[in-house]
Amino acid sequence: MDFETVKDLSSKYLFPNYGRLDLAFERGEGCYLYDAKGKQYLDTVAGIAVCSLGYSHPDWVKAMRDQVSHLVHVSNLYYVEEQAQLAQRLNTVTPDAITRTLFVNSGAEANEGAMKTAVRYTKRHKVLSAYNGFHGRTSAALGATAQKKYQETFEPLINEKTFGYFEYNDLESVKSLIDRDTACLLIEGIQGEGGVVCGTPEFLRGVRDLCTDYGVLMIVDEVQTGVGRTGKWWCMDNYGIVPDIITTAKGLAAGMPIGAIMTTDEIASVMTPGTHGTTFGGNPLVCASGCAVIDIINRNHILDNVSTVGAAWKKDLEALKAKHPGKIKDVRGMGFIIGVEMDSEETAAGVRKYMADHQVLVNVAHGKTVRLIPPLIFTMEQKDEFMRAFTAALE
Ligand SMILES: Cc1ncc(COP(=O)(O)O)c(C=O)c1O
């Protein structure tokens, strides 16, 4: 279908809730996307940190073909082999204390499930989270489910007095809010949507200690930073912090919709039959995809690639910042989540447009930060290709 037809049909039949660029893609291979005319684009967006293995990775395609040909979906009414296998694999890449997983369909759902788990485990009602953070956009499904059996024990979560917000990287702000009514504190190691703002080690470790002191569950939202994006399996591994609950989603199934809530035996034990669930969560196809992702990352030493190319990329960007201090205000991040803060929203939008016109896709987060979140297989040569286009865009 030609682009104009896609655009016309979209304007006519879809909700107008997304602001889209004038682009549509027909296929992808490695770190490149191709439009209907065969024009090639280098992709540093990866479907917003989702396409961890890039596009059409041959081993992943094979695993998906095998799975589709024998079983796509059953139900959590039965045991699901692929779900058990993915949970077992996650157990090998998470901290020792994190042993159990509940699969859902998205990042927002993972966070919802994590908060429900914390409220049930602690029997407390308050939830703390940071200003400038992002945890998803669901809000009201449980509130609208007017059946006592689903709402009871979670009622505090759907009460407007539930949430308290602290300043990120400000431990005093957390201290002023945390108390023995607090069930959990939900936090990102790097605020991705917030413009790639990194938590300092002192702050994150201080938060861990405060949570322990007050019996508050520390939920680390690794929806964007998890599954190798920072060069370690989990962003918190860079700080030696073990959360009580880890949530993840985006990169885990390389493009299949998945979310996961991971925690300890003890915390998971409160989620008895009937307390939580979802129809599609952890179906055979998405879990086979997750297994393939973990196996391919391990087999091909992809985390090493993220660390090496990511560090070189940050160095190149810092050198460019030294040349253009008026336009680049800051370079932040680690591995393959790098934010380049521009001097204004106009500059960031101009860079994104110039790059797209020159066949390189970049994303802008929080107005003026160019956010680089490519597939984890992005190579040194592709980093150089990006830098040539980015330098030209600035000049
Ligand atoms: C840190 C973080 N948490 C949660 C979400 C929500 O995930 P989803 O869009 O899959 O619901 C996102 C999405 O960007 C995210 O970056």
Side-chain angles (χ1 to χ4, degrees):
M1 197 182 275
D2 66 86
F3 175 70
E4 289 311 325
T5 312
V6 175
K7 198 173 165 184
D8 285 351
L9 291 178
S10 304
S11 323
K12 199 162 165 200
Y13 295 114
L14 291 174
F15 274 33
N17 61 317
Y18 296 112
R20 302 178 196 264
L21 297 181
D22 264 353
L23 288 168
F25 301 102
E26 206 176 65
R27 70 183 184 92
E29 204 179 315
C31 296
Y32 294 96
L33 282 166
Y34 297 85
D35 70 12
K37 291 185 176 147
K39 204 166 160 188
Q40 174 183 280
Y41 291 81
L42 179 66
D43 183 19
T44 72
V45 183
I48 319 191
V50 167
C51 305
S52 41
L53 302 176
Y55 302 96
S56 311
H57 191 291
D59 297 346
W60 179 83
V61 170
K62 181 175 178 318
M64 290 297 88
R65 284 209 170 114
D66 288 352
Q67 190 63 44
V68 168
S69 67
H70 72 264
L71 192 63
V72 169
H73 180 81
V74 273
S75 158
N76 288 308
L77 292 171
Y78 313 106
Y79 287 92
V80 179
E81 179 181 338
E82 296 76 9
Q83 204 178 101
Q85 287 173 332
L86 180 54
Q88 186 186 32
R89 278 179 178 68
L90 284 167
N91 185 51
T92 66
V93 298
T94 45
D96 288 349
I98 305 290
T99 47
R100 291 192 181 253
T101 301
L102 170 58
F103 292 107
V104 291
N105 309 292
S106 67
E109 264 190 72
N111 288 329
E112 293 251 353
M115 289 184 274
K116 284 178 75 175
T117 304
V119 164
R120 207 173 150 83
Y121 177 77
T122 59
K123 301 190 176 64
R124 301 176 181 181
H125 65 276
K126 267 173 59 178
V127 175
L128 302 183
S129 61
Y131 284 115
N132 197 47
F134 188 85
H135 300 293
R137 307 197 206 202
T138 52
S139 62
L142 186 58
T145 301
Q147 296 191 60
K148 202 73 193 150
K149 67 175 178 180
Y150 292 110
Q151 291 187 342
E152 64 192 354
T153 77
F154 301 117
E155 263 152 0
L157 267 186
I158 44 179
N159 174 328
E160 75 277 14
K161 294 205 194 85
T162 298
F163 294 94
Y165 306 117
F166 56 86
E167 297 291 341
Y168 197 63
N169 281 334
D170 178 349
L171 207 53
E172 291 307 314
S173 172
V174 180
K175 280 185 192 159
S176 71
L177 292 170
I178 199 163
D179 58 20
R180 295 199 181 274
D181 288 330
T182 308
C184 58
L185 180 147
L186 180 58
I187 192 167
E188 295 160 272
I190 299 175
Q191 294 186 316
E193 300 295 314
V196 191
V197 177
C198 300
T200 64
E202 308 75 56
F203 173 69
L204 294 169
R205 289 188 193 124
V207 166
R208 172 65 279 183
D209 291 344
L210 278 175
C211 286
T212 305
D213 292 349
Y214 282 88
V216 169
L217 299 193
M218 181 182 188
I219 304 174
V220 177
D221 179 340
E222 299 252 16
V223 166
Q224 186 161 155
T225 53
V227 197
R229 184 143 297 280
T230 65
K232 302 239 188 243
W233 277 103
W234 313 103
C235 181
M236 282 305 107
D237 296 348
N238 295 287
Y239 303 93
I241 291 172
V242 180
D244 298 298
I245 304 182
I246 301 173
T247 57
T248 198
K250 289 176 180 279
L252 178 57
M256 293 283 165
I258 195 168
I261 307 157
M262 300 178 285
T263 189
T264 64
D265 281 349
E266 188 186 315
I267 296 169
S269 71
V270 300
M271 299 307 278
T272 47
T275 51
H276 197 50
T278 157
T279 303
F280 291 110
N283 87 11
L285 184 62
V286 289
C287 288
S289 175
C291 289
V293 167
I294 292 180
D295 292 348
I296 293 167
I297 288 178
N298 278 331
R299 199 162 56 234
N300 298 341
H301 308 290
I302 288 176
L303 298 191
D304 294 343
N305 181 65
V306 174
S307 298
T308 314
V309 179
W313 203 349
K314 214 174 152 196
K315 222 166 136 195
D316 287 359
L317 289 163
E318 273 155 3
L320 196 64
K321 172 176 171 261
K323 270 202 211 154
H324 297 280
K327 286 197 183 121
I328 300 183
K329 292 295 165 195
D330 201 9
V331 178
R332 300 184 287 265
M334 59 175 104
F336 279 172
I337 173 162
I338 303 178
V340 187
E341 187 181 320
M342 313 306 294
D343 62 321
S344 67
E345 294 194 4
E346 292 67 42
T347 308
V351 164
R352 183 175 70 169
K353 167 92 175 60
Y354 177 96
M355 303 280 283
D357 290 346
H358 291 78
Q359 293 163 245
V360 180
L361 302 174
V362 299
N363 169 250
V364 173
H366 207 60
K368 58 180 179 178
T369 300
V370 173
R371 176 177 48 171
L372 307 172
I373 39 174
L376 306 184
I377 57 167
F378 208 74
T379 64
M380 212 56 107
E381 291 70 35
Q382 286 161 343
K383 179 269 290 176
D384 292 339
E385 186 182 339
F386 167 89
M387 285 305 297
R388 284 193 292 277
F390 193 54
T391 307
L394 289 186
E395 282 165 5

